[in-house]
Amino acid sequence: MNANEVLGGIWRQAGLPAEALPFARLTGADPVLPSSFAVGVAAQSAIAAAALAACELGHLRGSARQQVGVDMQHAALDCTGWFSLDGRVPDPWDTFSGLYRCADGWVRIHANFAHHRDGALRLMKLDPATATRAEAETVMATWRAHEFEDAAAAQGLVATALRRFDEWDATPQGQAIAAQPLFTIERIGDASPLALTPLREDQRPLTGVRVLDLTRILAGPVGGRALAAYGADVMLVNSPNLPNIESIADTSRGKLSTHVDLRTDEGRAVLRQLATQAHVFVQGYRPGGIASLGFGPAELARLRPGIVCVSLTAYGTQGPWANRRGFDSLVQTAMGFNHAEGEAAGDGKPKPLPMQILDEATGYLIAFGAAAALWRQQQEGGSWHVQVSLAQTGQWLRSLGRVPGGLSIARPDLKPYVETSASGFGELAALRHSAQLSRTPAAWPRPSMPPGSHPPVWPADTAK
């Protein structure tokens, strides 16, 4: 399946006008990164969909359609998430993250947050203060893989057993995911079209759109960054009580970044005020989590009729795993990708995909869904709810087919695609945005800044 066909499928599912599709110019072909999966097609089509939908909303606001060009190699490298700070490339993985051989298979543990790492080590009956990776591997060799997976899930930890595709397909969760589309865009209430000012020809297509970004890792922040690249005012809302990982320096490009404590009455009042002036509300809490704080889609539609809500989950909202925490690496492992990639490599060892493509593609689908739902909101009115999940993106990636010989190619050079900018984290080198808009280039005029750098107030002048 080629990228143009894949883009067309995404576009039609959202109900967007077919006459916009010829304005997408997609170049290149898989393999572009060493993988037996069509990761290049996934990256390119998701990024093109996001950029083209933003431009189509701009067209609805009075701006002429413009060409959107996406090169597959650039798109795939864009989705590696590579960056450096002051010349240092951070290691994205904690010592205890990764695959562990068990008595009857493998388990992948995600330990990048200290509370997840310490919880996993306590489950192994190890002292988090003194444990070594070698000790953890020795203990894990005594566990059965699915028993550790279930025990970890019961404690709210993040670990999954390695499965083959056929094993995943046989699970109730695999069957629930297979029965769902790549994403859903649903009207959830009545409202008039929200006011969006007409655009000048030199303004980026999402100028004047206000987006609240209540996400942390990694898909949600990528989606918010894409919306900012197309001109939206994106406000990243972090809790002052929760940790972050260093990739926030890369994914915060173009965003305002504020602290709001939703555990307090004052914090919830601040967020309600922000939401009354927002067009889009993106959140990555587990199903029901944000609603328990008073900011579920139904509550937001009452508070701000016409709003577009975007909900991100790991395993979707249906099936027995709907409430499980999850990250890209774990979903790859659970769904069968690591086994299949290792089988293609021929060395008998599970192998991860060459980038966190489930996160990255889902992030661009967040941006696409937000822009597509805004387009429909402007045409039809109403409040809207967009839903995406890492597992649904995984099912879609699998449907794109395999790439014979894909693992044999060399990883291309990043340097031609890297740009450097000042940031609140230090000198930031990172990948340029890979969607080339012919008239209003994607850009991040706001520098990446640490959480809490901006007050929780929308800027008075949103024209960029």
Side-chain angles (χ1 to χ4, degrees):
M1 193 177 297
N2 69 47
N4 282 295
E5 293 171 337
V6 176
L7 171 61
I10 295 170
W11 197 255
R12 286 188 293 273
Q13 186 183 327
L16 295 175
E19 54 266 30
L21 281 171
F23 286 83
R25 185 174 61 85
L26 308 184
T27 56
D30 269 316
V32 288
L33 289 180
S35 177
S36 69
F37 289 91
V39 294
V41 167
Q44 183 182 39
S45 58
I47 291 169
L52 196 65
C55 290
E56 192 59 18
L57 179 62
H59 177 58
L60 192 64
R61 297 169 66 190
S63 183
R65 287 191 172 107
Q66 59 180 310
Q67 189 176 82
V68 173
V70 185
D71 174 72
M72 187 180 290
Q73 180 169 283
H74 189 177
L77 291 172
D78 196 352
C79 288
T80 63
W82 182 92
F83 71 100
S84 70
L85 291 171
D86 295 326
R88 177 184 61 88
V89 179
D91 183 350
W93 300 109
D94 182 85
T95 300
F96 290 96
S97 288
L99 279 169
Y100 290 80
R101 188 179 285 279
C102 296
D104 61 345
W106 298 81
V107 161
R108 185 178 292 280
I109 295 175
H110 195 283
N112 286 8
F113 284 125
H115 62 292
H116 290 156
R117 179 191 64 223
D118 294 352
L121 291 171
R122 291 191 186 100
L123 184 57
M124 298 177 207
K125 302 293 193 290
L126 294 174
D127 182 353
T130 61
T132 66
R133 173 71 186 231
E135 290 173 333
E137 290 175 349
T138 298
V139 172
M140 288 300 295
T142 69
W143 277 84
R144 297 179 67 83
H146 290 275
E147 289 177 359
F148 189 88
E149 176 185 78
D150 290 340
Q155 295 188 25
L157 303 173
V158 277
T160 55
L162 179 83
R163 290 173 175 81
R164 302 187 309 268
F165 281 142
D166 63 313
E167 291 173 327
W168 169 255
D169 292 344
T171 66
Q173 192 60 38
Q175 292 163 10
I177 292 298
Q180 297 175 59
L182 174 57
F183 58 86
T184 57
I185 301 177
E186 177 189 9
R187 182 173 173 145
I188 58 170
D190 294 328
S192 300
L194 294 177
L196 283 175
T197 56
L199 289 179
R200 301 190 311 267
E201 288 295 298
D202 64 340
Q203 288 180 307
R204 288 177 292 156
L206 298 188
T207 296
V209 173
R210 290 174 167 173
V211 179
L212 285 168
D213 179 357
L214 277 78
T215 66
R216 296 173 66 219
I217 307 170
L218 180 61
V222 166
R225 185 185 63 192
L227 293 170
Y230 310 141
D233 282 300
V234 179
M235 184 179 293
L236 178 63
V237 179
N238 265 281
S239 166
N241 308 302
L242 294 176
N244 274 289
I245 61 174
E246 284 192 285
S247 65
I248 193 172
D250 170 38
T251 58
S252 291
R253 284 183 284 171
K255 300 179 186 180
L256 302 161
S257 191
T258 194
H259 273 150
V260 177
D261 188 351
L262 296 183
R263 300 184 306 181
T264 68
D265 291 341
E266 178 186 13
R268 290 189 293 273
V270 167
L271 188 61
R272 279 194 294 272
Q273 179 60 33
L274 290 170
T276 62
Q277 302 169 66
H279 301 92
V280 178
F281 187 104
V282 184
Q283 61 87 22
Y285 286 67
R286 285 188 297 165
I290 197 71
S292 69
L293 297 170
F295 298 96
E299 292 84 0
L300 287 166
R302 286 191 291 270
L303 179 67
R304 170 65 156 164
I307 199 167
V308 170
C309 301
V310 185
S311 297
L312 162 70
T313 57
Y315 294 104
T317 59
Q318 301 173 32
W321 284 23
N323 288 314
R324 285 199 182 185
R325 293 178 171 90
F327 298 100
D328 179 302
S329 59
L330 300 178
V331 179
Q332 284 188 33
T333 303
M335 291 188 71
F337 287 99
N338 288 179
H339 177 270
E341 195 83 309
E343 196 172 49
D347 60 5
K349 297 179 181 178
K351 184 178 178 61
L353 297 174
M355 75 283 228
Q356 296 187 72
I357 187 59
L358 307 187
D359 264 330
E360 296 279 347
T362 303
Y364 287 104
L365 290 170
I366 285 171
F368 167 75
L374 279 173
W375 185 89
R376 294 180 66 172
Q377 205 282 331
Q378 292 292 290
Q379 293 277 63
E380 308 170 31
S383 301
W384 296 81
H385 188 199
V386 179
Q387 295 187 78
V388 296
S389 78
L390 301 184
Q392 285 162 270
T393 299
Q395 190 76 16
W396 169 73
L397 173 63
R398 187 175 158 191
S399 77
L400 302 182
R402 305 295 287 275
V403 181
L407 283 164
S408 64
I409 70 159
R411 204 173 179 95
D413 185 10
L414 287 163
K415 289 180 184 177
Y417 306 103
V418 171
E419 64 182 8
T420 302
S421 61
S423 82
F425 301 89
E427 184 180 69
L428 173 64
L431 278 297
R432 297 193 314 274
H433 186 61
S434 55
Q436 307 297 309
L437 280 57
S438 60
R439 191 179 62 254
T440 59
W444 292 296
R446 290 190 176 105
S448 175
M449 296 296 291
S453 293
H454 300 99
V457 178
W458 292 114
D461 180 9
T462 60
K464 297 290 181 291

